[in-house]
């Protein structure tokens, strides 16, 4: 007789995405406890002295910081939905590379172009993942229609918002994240980056 009492186990299915989510969650909690001091010190990027070692940490660290629960949940929910699928397709090291590349590009651009604006949050990574996910079914010599539609809708929307909507959202970060995701998605699918 066959035993049908199979126990379900929780699997740690996406180490990079789960690790990223954990760091974002911890940085939010520490930010709340320190009343924003840790967020300003480590988890946001802004113009500061190049002699300050923390300036270089903030070029990456800003993607882990969030202004509050709503900001955190808005970014992390999308990352938790799409990220594991991308990590399974491209491998953990490539997804980590996408995340770090997006952080560095958006951090440096904000530092150089917007010296008085503080940037924090994972929305650049969200947009990188949006564009990267539209490349998942690319074939040799073709551009997926889904990529074109996603680029027009998401990036076009960010350009419009940047020009006509006055809010606290860094539209340039979203656009740059999308460009990084699209560029790396193209490279990953052309097998120029090995899957690890």
């Amino acid at each position: 007789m066959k035993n049908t009492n199979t126990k379900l186990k929780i699997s740690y299915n996406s180490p990079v995405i789960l690790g990223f989510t954990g760091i974002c969650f911890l940085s939010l909690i520490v930010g709340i406890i320190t009343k924003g001091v840790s967020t300003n010190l480590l988890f946001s990027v802004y113009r500061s002295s190049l002699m300050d070692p923390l300036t270089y940490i903030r070029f990456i660290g800003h993607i882990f910081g969030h202004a509050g629960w709503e900001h955190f949940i808005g970014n992390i929910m999308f990352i938790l939905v799409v990220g594991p699928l991308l990590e399974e397709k491209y491998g953990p090291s490539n997804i980590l590379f996408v995340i770090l590349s997006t952080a560095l590009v958006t951090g440096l651009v904000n530092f150089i172009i917007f010296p008085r604006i503080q940037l924090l949050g994972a929305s650049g990574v969200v947009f990188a993942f949006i564009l990267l996910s539209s490349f998942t079914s690319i074939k040799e010599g073709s551009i997926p229609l889904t990529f074109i539609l996603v680029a027009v809708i998401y990036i076009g929307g960010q350009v419009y918002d940047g020009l006509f909507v006055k809010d606290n959202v860094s539209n340039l970060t979203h656009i740059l994240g999308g460009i990084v995701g699209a560029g790396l998605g193209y490279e990953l699918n052309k097998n120029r980056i090995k899957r690890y």
Side-chain angles (χ1 to χ4, degrees), residues 37-50 52-64 103-104 106-108 111 118-119:
V37 172
S38 63
T39 302
N40 289 330
L41 195 62
L42 300 170
F43 303 119
S44 58
V45 68
Y46 46 85
R47 182 70 60 85
S48 56
S49 171
L50 293 174
D52 181 1
L54 294 179
T55 297
Y56 302 97
I57 291 171
R58 288 189 288 265
F59 285 150
I60 301 290
H62 69 95
I63 60 170
F64 302 117
L104 188 58
T106 57
L108 284 171
F111 182 86
Q118 188 173 7
L119 175 68

Side-chain angles (χ1 to χ4, degrees), residues 35 48 56 65 104 115 124 130 135 143 156:
K35 297 184 184 335
S48 56
Y56 302 97
L104 188 58
I130 288 169
F135 268 98
I143 297 174

Side-chain angles (χ1 to χ4, degrees), residues 46-47 110 113-118:
Y46 46 85
R47 182 70 60 85
N110 191 82
I113 297 178
F114 301 109
R116 292 183 179 86
I117 296 176
Q118 188 173 7

